[in-house]
């Protein structure tokens, strides 16, 4: 496995941090929504239901899931599916991350119930209540919530990279609404004898070569704090 340098790690950890913050805030809003429409289901299942405590458990578990899942997404899955179609990459990444987040949520609920009952986590009463909770329709809603949230995250990451690293954020913040002067260094890159190579390979194979060329060139430029125009 290739060892990442300090700049690569900084950029990837920055993405993980933003995703974790975003997912935690989204989970916070989702839990408020769940409280307003379906708290009665938790009251029926959980002993001594307390919204504040359940709310804290959900947000903390979302934060932990964000760190683990976002790290998996940024450091492994996106590179793994880079050559796959965009739709396929979104589907597989969303399914994998959603399943992982649900597993973390299930573990958090089990620990929460064990704490409330003051019993060992593997106690039959704990496992019974945990299975009731994870089998409830609210838990299926949670899976769909994470699935679509992960999809939106992946689309956002992809669009950000297609615009250029950091450009999407600047567009959202309105940086380009007013002209300004910036000092930039431009490097123009071309493939030597590209016309000759295109004639020899044919247009289909030549465009495959271009895809590989840009794919290999992108990360080194980004990891040196450059932008691709």
């Amino acid at each position: 496995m290739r060892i990442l340098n300090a700049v690569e790690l900084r950029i990837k950890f920055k993405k993980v941090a933003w995703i974790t913050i975003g997912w935690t805030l989204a989970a916070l809003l989702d839990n408020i929504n769940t409280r307003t429409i379906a708290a009665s289901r938790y009251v029926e299942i959980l002993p001594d239901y307390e919204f504040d405590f359940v709310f804290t458990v959900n947000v903390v578990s979302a934060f932990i899931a964000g760190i683990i899942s976002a790290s998996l997404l940024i450091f492994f899955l996106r590179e793994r599916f880079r050559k796959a179609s965009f739709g396929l990459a979104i589907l597989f990444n969303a399914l994998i991350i959603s399943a992982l987040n649900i597993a973390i949520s299930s573990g958090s609920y089990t620990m929460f119930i064990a704490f409330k009952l003051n019993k060992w986590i593997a106690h039959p009463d704990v496992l019974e209540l945990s299975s009731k909770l994870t089998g409830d329709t609210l838990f299926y809603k949670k899976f769909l919530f994470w699935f679509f949230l992960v999809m939106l995250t992946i689309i956002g990451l992809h669009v950000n990279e297609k615009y250029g690293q950091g450009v999407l954020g600047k567009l959202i913040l309105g940086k380009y609404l007013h002209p300004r002067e910036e000092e930039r260094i431009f490097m123009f890159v071309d493939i030597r004898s590209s016309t000759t190579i295109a004639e020899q390979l044919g247009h289909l194979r030549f465009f495959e070569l271009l895809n590989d060329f840009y794919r290999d060139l992108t990360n080194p430029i980004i990891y040196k704090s450059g932008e691709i125009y």
Side-chain angles (χ1 to χ4, degrees), residues 42 68 94 111 211:
Y42 284 137
I68 297 173
M111 293 176 63
N211 285 335

Side-chain angles (χ1 to χ4, degrees), residues 91 94-95 98 142-152:
L91 178 62
L95 286 174
S98 299
K142 184 180 288 290
F143 178 83
L144 291 175
F145 166 78
W146 279 111
F147 181 79
F148 287 110
L149 183 61
V150 173
M151 284 185 63
L152 289 174

Side-chain angles (χ1 to χ4, degrees), residues 4 13 30 36 43 48 96 117 149 168 171 210-212 229:
L4 302 178
F13 278 127
D30 179 61
T36 57
V43 173
D48 301 325
I96 293 171
L117 294 178
L149 183 61
L168 179 61
L171 282 172
L210 287 180
N211 285 335
D212 290 336
Y229 181 73

Side-chain angles (χ1 to χ4, degrees), residues 1 8 17 24 36 80 84 110 112-113 117 126 154 166 196 199 206 212 226:
M1 181 179 293
E8 291 178 86
T24 303
T36 57
R80 185 80 173 179
T110 304
F112 160 71
I113 293 171
L117 294 178
V126 174
I154 296 171
T196 303
E199 292 173 350
F206 179 68
D212 290 336

Side-chain angles (χ1 to χ4, degrees), residues 176-215:
Y176 303 116
L177 291 177
H178 305 287
R180 69 185 69 202
E181 290 186 357
E182 292 184 350
E183 186 174 330
R184 296 292 182 100
I185 298 174
F186 284 88
M187 180 179 70
F188 296 92
V189 180
D190 194 9
I191 300 177
R192 184 176 181 180
S193 303
S194 58
T195 303
T196 303
I197 295 173
E199 292 173 350
Q200 292 174 346
L201 295 179
H203 60 277
L204 292 179
R205 293 186 62 198
F206 179 68
F207 274 98
E208 290 179 356
L209 172 65
L210 287 180
N211 285 335
D212 290 336
F213 175 74
Y214 285 115
R215 189 180 296 115

Side-chain angles (χ1 to χ4, degrees), residues 9-44:
L9 286 173
R10 178 176 58 81
I11 292 174
K12 287 183 179 291
F13 278 127
K14 186 177 180 181
K15 290 181 180 179
V16 170
W18 277 112
I19 291 173
T20 301
I21 293 171
W23 286 1
T24 303
L25 291 175
L28 186 148
L29 295 174
D30 179 61
N31 279 287
I32 292 175
N33 176 61
T34 299
R35 163 64 175 172
T36 57
I37 65 173
S40 59
R41 295 295 303 146
Y42 284 137
V43 173
E44 293 175 11

Side-chain angles (χ1 to χ4, degrees), residues 120-138:
W120 174 239
I121 195 171
H123 192 278
D125 292 344
V126 174
L127 297 179
E128 181 182 359
L129 283 174
S130 179
S131 64
K132 285 183 179 179
L133 195 62
T134 55
D136 192 76
T137 53
L138 286 178

